[in-house]
């Protein structure tokens, strides 16, 4: 468990606490922050779990250092059944997570930004079972608008 100051320090280190950065760290006020691990082939991996009786994803904010493919392992350690509706280019992924189960999802998130995920069963999202995957980086030149350079803080 991290203290509020450790959380604020990590948000600042990753770049989630500044304007015009990936400012999502200020939106989700609960849960932990995790970073995806990059494998030698450039693909990333991470584990996200639902701890018993918490109704939060752990981590609730997952940071990818750049866009690309990521393999998630989802673990439901709770006594209740949940699911995961995950973002991915082309199509969203849905995984049913009965109590004490796990599942895998291969996602492609090729652009910078933040992508929401949650458990739309019952009132899970309303009770806090929402999270985000933050993809760091800048838009590639071919995706930028044709306009003058904008000031950055």
């Amino acid at each position: 468990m991290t203290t509020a100051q450790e959380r604020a320090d990590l948000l600042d280190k990753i770049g989630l606490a500044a304007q015009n950065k990936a400012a999502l760290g200020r939106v989700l006020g609960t849960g932990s922050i995790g970073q995806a691990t990059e494998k030698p082939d450039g693909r990333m991996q991470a584990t996200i779990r639902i701890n018993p009786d918490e109704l939060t994803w752990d981590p609730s904010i997952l940071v990818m250092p750049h866009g690309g493919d990521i393999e998630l392992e989802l673990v439901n350690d709770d006594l209740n059944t949940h699911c995961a509706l995950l973002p991915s280019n082309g199509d969203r992924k849905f995984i049913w997570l009965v109590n004490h189960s796990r599942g895998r999802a291969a996602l492609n998130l090729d652009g910078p930004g933040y992508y929401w995920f949650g458990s739309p069963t019952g009132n899970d999202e309303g009770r806090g079972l929402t999270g985000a995957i933050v993809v760091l980086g800048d838009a590639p030149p071919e995706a930028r608008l044709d306009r003058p350079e904008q000031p950055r803080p």
Side-chain angles (χ1 to χ4, degrees):
M1 198 70 167
T2 59
T3 66
Q5 186 58 49
E6 288 169 334
R7 179 181 165 78
D9 291 344
L10 183 57
L11 287 170
D12 190 49
K13 176 184 169 198
I14 295 173
L16 298 180
Q19 182 179 358
N20 283 349
K21 300 281 185 177
L24 181 69
R26 297 291 185 206
V27 177
L28 290 173
T30 60
S32 60
I33 303 165
Q35 293 179 281
T37 305
E38 192 167 2
K39 297 191 283 188
D41 64 358
R43 296 176 56 91
M44 291 162 269
Q45 63 185 20
T47 300
I48 299 175
R49 59 184 350 107
I50 303 169
N51 294 321
D53 299 325
E54 289 185 12
L55 269 179
T56 60
W57 299 101
D58 183 19
S60 62
I61 300 173
L62 177 64
V63 179
M64 291 173 58
H66 56 79
D69 295 322
I70 184 166
E71 185 174 300
L72 294 180
E73 180 176 18
L74 299 142
V75 181
N76 181 9
D77 288 331
D78 197 21
L79 297 175
N80 294 306
T81 297
H82 302 286
C83 69
L85 185 58
L86 301 158
S88 185
N89 290 342
D91 199 9
R92 300 186 93 186
K93 309 288 181 171
F94 181 86
I95 296 180
W96 192 248
L97 296 166
V98 298
N99 52 330
H100 297 291
S101 68
R102 62 183 58 224
R104 289 190 178 274
L107 310 178
N108 178 271
L109 302 172
D110 63 355
Y114 44 87
Y115 302 83
W116 297 97
F117 65 94
S119 174
T121 59
N123 189 27
D124 284 353
E125 290 176 323
R127 295 178 0 206
L129 201 51
T130 57
I133 300 172
V134 177
V135 179
L136 300 179
D138 217 347
E142 65 272 10
R144 295 181 188 161
L145 296 175
D146 185 21
R147 63 181 186 168
E149 191 70 25
Q150 299 296 306
R152 307 277 283 184

